[in-house]
Amino acid sequence: MKIEINTNKVEKYLNEKEKDIKIGINDGINKATFFVQGEVKQSIAGHRAEPTSVDTGRFLNSVDLTTSKDEGKVFTSIPYAKFLEYGTSTITPRPHFRNSLARNQHKVNEIIKEEIKKEL
């Protein structure tokens, strides 16, 4: 008795699935980054647990994002943002970025998982 196993088809299938998974991960990162950006803005506007940080709207409108192949970033280039986020001797911390991510870490993971599932 002789058994031959041709792994070419299996290898091809796995390579295709690997590509699909990478597409799902990238789509998930993009979607999750937009979600976190929205959550940070909601926090700044006073719709989450942190105190409102809106006076002129400059800080709120400065929250931006970038995504690349393997990561998404939500950020602001407003110089005084770090003082709001971490506080000073006269300003109570309002950790909009840190709390928004911590509060939604499970949701971020779910978004990425769902996008991967769509590709499989």
Side-chain angles (χ1 to χ4, degrees), residues 1-68:
M1 175 179 225
K2 182 178 180 181
I3 298 175
E4 289 184 33
I5 300 173
N6 185 343
T7 60
N8 291 338
K9 287 182 182 179
V10 173
E11 239 179 277
K12 183 179 176 187
Y13 174 80
L14 291 175
N15 286 334
E16 288 172 6
K17 288 302 169 190
E18 181 182 15
K19 290 175 187 173
D20 293 341
I21 290 169
K22 286 180 180 179
I23 290 169
I25 289 170
N26 288 333
D27 291 349
I29 288 171
N30 288 335
K31 192 172 182 179
T33 304
F34 277 101
F35 171 76
V36 171
Q37 179 193 34
E39 286 296 304
V40 170
K41 286 184 171 190
Q42 289 294 313
S43 175
I44 292 168
H47 301 297
R48 299 295 182 264
E50 299 77 31
T52 302
S53 292
V54 176
D55 185 16
T56 64
R58 182 173 177 224
F59 180 43
L60 176 66
N61 292 324
S62 74
V63 178
D64 204 354
L65 63 86
T66 61
T67 59
S68 63

Side-chain angles (χ1 to χ4, degrees), residues 50-102:
E50 299 77 31
T52 302
S53 292
V54 176
D55 185 16
T56 64
R58 182 173 177 224
F59 180 43
L60 176 66
N61 292 324
S62 74
V63 178
D64 204 354
L65 63 86
T66 61
T67 59
S68 63
K69 183 178 175 185
D70 294 324
E71 72 178 5
K73 293 181 183 180
V74 177
F75 64 93
T76 179
S77 57
I78 299 289
Y80 59 84
K82 62 185 169 195
F83 301 124
L84 292 172
E85 184 76 12
Y86 295 101
T88 67
S89 61
T90 58
I91 299 173
T92 304
R94 298 175 189 171
H96 301 293
F97 288 84
R98 292 176 291 153
N99 286 356
S100 294
L101 182 58

